[in-house]
Amino acid sequence: MFSKSKINEPGPKAPEADTTKAADMNQPKTTTDFAPTAPKAKPPASVLSPDLTIVGNLKTTGDIQIEGTVEGDIRAHLLTVGEGATVKGEIVADDVVINGRIVGRVRGLKVRLTSTARVEGDIIHKTIAIESGAHFEGSVQRQEDPLTNSGSKPVPKPASATTSAPAASAAASGAN
């Protein structure tokens, strides 16, 4: 079976060993090689503390939890407005949970107003939940994709601007 002489024997046996190594390189690697492609753990939400006031817009692909005051527009994946928090501006997020006060438009796929929520402005949503005790002044509009439309009503473009403007206006008005 095995002999020491075959291992030490020079000649054409060495290239066979190289082809074996090359064949092994073409084989799938062990599961440890897949570790870099595995999904990373989701980072925790960014928290704006109660003593923090921000004047300006916030934009992230992650999650934000607001406990302080924001005067500006917010765009995020998941936005949680704390019970003592105030936001004055437009909110655009996949998921919005409002426990505090919002003055401005809210756009989200899923919008939830808890019993402590105080919202003054329009809500454009795909799904909405409003708990008993929530205070809401404004209109509610359901849209299939509320994140893409920046305004509640389409603004028609002048026909003289481009040749495709009438078609774009017709498509925008047909979407409602």
Side-chain angles (χ1 to χ4, degrees), residues 84-95:
T86 301
V87 176
K88 294 181 181 178
E90 183 178 37
I91 292 174
V92 179
D94 293 336
D95 295 326

Side-chain angles (χ1 to χ4, degrees), residues 140-171:
V140 178
Q141 181 181 1
R142 186 191 182 283
Q143 289 184 359
E144 195 61 33
D145 191 5
L147 303 180
T148 58
N149 191 1
S150 62
S152 60
K153 295 182 181 178
V155 178
K157 295 180 182 178
S160 61
T162 62
T163 57
S164 63
S169 296

Side-chain angles (χ1 to χ4, degrees), residues 75-79 91-97 106-112 123-129 140-149:
R75 184 169 189 90
H77 169 67
L78 167 65
L79 176 68
I91 292 174
V92 179
D94 293 336
D95 295 326
V96 182
V97 179
V106 177
R107 304 178 71 80
L109 295 174
K110 291 169 45 177
V111 178
R112 180 173 160 224
I123 298 176
I124 301 162
H125 64 90
K126 186 172 182 181
T127 61
I128 189 167
V140 178
Q141 181 181 1
R142 186 191 182 283
Q143 289 184 359
E144 195 61 33
D145 191 5
L147 303 180
T148 58
N149 191 1

Side-chain angles (χ1 to χ4, degrees), residues 37-51:
T37 60
K40 295 180 181 177
K42 185 177 177 183
S46 299
V47 180
L48 306 181
S49 67
D51 62 339

Side-chain angles (χ1 to χ4, degrees), residues 14-122:
E16 289 178 9
D18 290 340
T19 56
T20 307
K21 289 180 184 176
D24 289 344
M25 291 174 61
N26 292 334
Q27 296 296 324
K29 299 194 179 198
T30 61
T31 57
T32 58
D33 293 336
F34 295 109
T37 60
K40 295 180 181 177
K42 185 177 177 183
S46 299
V47 180
L48 306 181
S49 67
D51 62 339
L52 183 64
T53 299
I54 294 180
V55 178
N57 299 335
L58 301 176
K59 184 176 180 181
T60 181
T61 57
D63 303 345
I64 300 178
Q65 179 178 341
I66 298 174
E67 299 296 334
T69 303
V70 175
E71 294 180 20
D73 298 341
I74 302 172
R75 184 169 189 90
H77 169 67
L78 167 65
L79 176 68
T80 305
V81 179
E83 197 168 325
T86 301
V87 176
K88 294 181 181 178
E90 183 178 37
I91 292 174
V92 179
D94 293 336
D95 295 326
V96 182
V97 179
I98 302 171
N99 300 304
R101 182 170 182 236
I102 305 291
V103 178
R105 180 183 293 153
V106 177
R107 304 178 71 80
L109 295 174
K110 291 169 45 177
V111 178
R112 180 173 160 224
L113 277 62
T114 66
S115 61
T116 58
R118 304 288 177 257
V119 178
E120 299 171 29
D122 299 338

